[in-house]
Amino acid sequence: MPLNRREFLATSLAAGPTLAGAQTPAKHSFRVSETNFLLDEKPFQIISGSMHYARVPRSCWQDRFRKARALGLNTICTYSFWNAHQPEPARWDFSGNLDVRTFIQMAASEGLHVIFRPGPYACAEWDFGGFPAWLLKDPDIRVRSTDPKFVKPAAAYLQRIGQEVTSLQISQGGPIILCQVENEYGSYGNDAAYKNAIRQALLDAGFDGHSFYTSDGPSLVPRGSFPDLPAVINFGANENTAKQFATLDKIRPSGPRMCGEYWVGWFDHWGETHNGMTVKEVSDGLTWMLSHGVSVNLYMFHGGTSFGFMAGANRDRAYQPDISSYDYDAPLDEAGRPTEKFFAVRDIIQRHAKSAAAPTTLPEPEAVLKIPRFFFNESAPLWSLLAEPRHADSPQSMESIDQSFGLILYRTSIRTAQNGTLEIGEARDYALLYQGGRRLGTLDRRFSQRALEVRLQAGATLDILIDAMGRVNFGKHLTDDRKGLIGEVTLAGAPLKNWAMYSLPLTDLSRLSYSGDPPRGPCFYRARIQLETLGYTFLDLRGWGKGYVWVNGHNLGRYWSVGPQRTMFVPAEWLRPGENELVVLDLLEGGQRSLEGRHNPIYDVANS
């Protein structure tokens, strides 16, 4: 069984990671030379895999670390997400799945070193790239800049995360061998003052500057790096590995060679087909790197799940929200099971790596649960969660009224019957429009939909319900992806005024009152099922519309009939013997109202 935090604190980890079978932790030194990483003054080839503690159930951490060792990894790499640890300006959270200190200690207890990526920017297909949404309440804030309104809270975050982990650096006898400064900054800007500010904030927080490094695309190293720090490069298995390092060689003739993110798969957007990379693509590039003495970090080794509201989005020509699963076509799938890619990678590591961990056996497989189809016989209208609204002449963003996630309802009165074009500056990200319980239509940001022909009756309110999906986590649009109604709402060219705004953060469902008759409109559906045995499962959401799923109060994330994700992963630890409560919010009417638990996920794939 995994050790709890108290047991870890009572265990001496001060001397660093312990290889399997060792009785006493061994002291280590780690530094960078002109050509290599040096562990105990000997060349050390980092063979790492990424796994984000916030995306993996805490009870599974030890199992995943043991599978990392069985793969041949000697290091685990993780991001820390600012918005998870500081969801509100005055509230910090390092409990449960966010207990980063225990995560790092547990990795060490399984013989793994750690690469720590504290941010403050992460990307990682995580909402707002890891920045907390409350930053956006200030309409003028400039993130990833020297703007004091950003740098000051960012430095405070780094100070707080430093309290948890800096004593676990290898310079103090712990497992952390490297600490990243910012993240892929070369893909965003070229502000040396900002980079230096983040570097200094890390030093002020207690991070050892000798462990610092940067990570960028090969051609962007000059923009994102520091002359005196190691620069590692990121690229995909479907790219020419030798060419990527040839580009780095021209920019940085000396220094250790490492792929900081070797993309062995890819992520998915709603409405697109499931992505992946072939075993051959992954194998070819990995073989080249390991046989040339290059260090590598597999991104991802195990992706897990972006539970709740934490899946991010991209925006280039169009807005592209990410699915809840972060399976990533990784060596371990979303449920932590070894894939064909796992065994191919393991063989390559054992044949070609110079610092591969001693091979270990795989842990016993976790139990998987099949749940026969069950029906939802209770329902409650979404509108029953409405509380006191905020009022404004024009619609305000979600962040401006101190809401970070969920839904928001905008309501205004229509005094006279009117027909015409209803236009919205922008609905972020999916809008459902109603009058008197009658749905007028929907607007989908993915397709830049901003206008709808309507016939409005006198004496009834116009309701615009917004489902806020992932905030942009990469690129120039990262800076201002506020949610809700953005800009004016006009009818036949005339602005509609006097709006009531109702926050629906979906964090407390205790006020719902269920009955047996499903109402019209967005609705919660509840079922109670009995379980005698436990295991992980995948809930089959085919036949439902769009919304969210809770199991015993845990938000599994978003589902949407546009695919490609058709199932929702349920960790075994979120189920319990006896009665279990499942709640589904469906924003769309007319779907089926039953579920089953399956052994395997279902995705829409190309040519399926």
Side-chain angles (χ1 to χ4, degrees), residues 579-594:
E579 185 174 87
N580 291 260
E581 179 188 70
L582 290 91
V583 174
V584 180
L585 169 61
D586 201 337
L587 301 176
L588 305 177
E589 298 179 59
Q592 75 169 16
R593 302 303 173 215
S594 66

Side-chain angles (χ1 to χ4, degrees), residues 141-366:
I141 195 169
R142 293 177 295 114
V143 300
R144 297 185 89 181
S145 81
T146 55
D147 179 358
K149 292 178 289 188
F150 171 74
V151 170
K152 185 176 179 180
Y157 154 69
L158 292 174
Q159 281 280 348
R160 184 62 186 83
I161 200 81
Q163 293 175 26
E164 298 290 321
V165 306
T166 52
S167 65
L168 300 178
Q169 298 173 99
I170 198 166
S171 60
Q172 299 188 42
I176 299 175
I177 56 175
L178 288 172
C179 174
Q180 184 177 258
V181 181
E182 233 265 0
N183 179 58
E184 294 186 322
Y185 183 69
S187 299
Y188 181 82
N190 193 21
D191 184 345
Y194 169 67
K195 290 191 299 180
N196 284 322
I198 296 302
R199 182 176 183 174
Q200 187 60 50
L202 287 164
L203 290 169
D204 293 344
F207 289 94
D208 184 347
H210 296 295
S211 68
F212 288 172
Y213 77 102
T214 60
S215 184
D216 291 283
S219 63
L220 298 170
V221 166
R223 288 160 55 95
S225 65
F226 296 85
D228 61 327
L229 296 183
V232 309
I233 57 175
N234 302 342
F235 57 86
N238 55 357
E239 301 177 71
N240 186 311
T241 300
K243 184 178 179 180
Q244 308 308 312
F245 282 100
T247 299
L248 179 63
D249 290 342
K250 293 177 183 178
I251 299 168
R252 285 287 186 95
S254 63
R257 291 295 180 255
M258 179 173 179
C259 179
E261 288 186 11
Y262 183 54
W263 306 322
V264 299
W266 203 243
F267 54 90
D268 294 326
H269 297 129
W270 288 112
E272 301 175 9
T273 53
H274 185 46
N275 282 306
M277 293 187 188
T278 68
V279 171
K280 185 180 187 308
E281 287 173 328
V282 172
S283 299
D284 289 349
L286 184 62
T287 298
W288 188 95
M289 284 187 283
L290 295 185
S291 62
H292 283 78
V294 172
S295 293
V296 63
N297 173 57
L298 306 178
Y299 193 98
M300 298 291 295
F301 154 65
H302 174 45
T305 309
S306 301
F307 294 113
F309 306 107
M310 288 305 185
N314 287 97
R315 183 181 170 193
D316 187 6
R317 296 178 182 175
Y319 172 72
Q320 298 171 292
D322 298 330
I323 67 172
S324 297
S325 171
Y326 203 59
D327 178 271
Y328 216 87
D329 194 29
L332 293 186
D333 72 4
E334 186 177 9
R337 297 174 294 196
T339 66
E340 179 186 2
K341 197 172 286 181
F342 179 98
F343 297 105
V345 167
R346 184 184 65 177
D347 291 345
I348 292 167
I349 290 173
Q350 293 306 317
R351 288 201 309 270
H352 298 287
K354 296 176 174 59
S355 302
T360 61
T361 58
L362 278 165
E364 288 296 315
E366 297 172 272

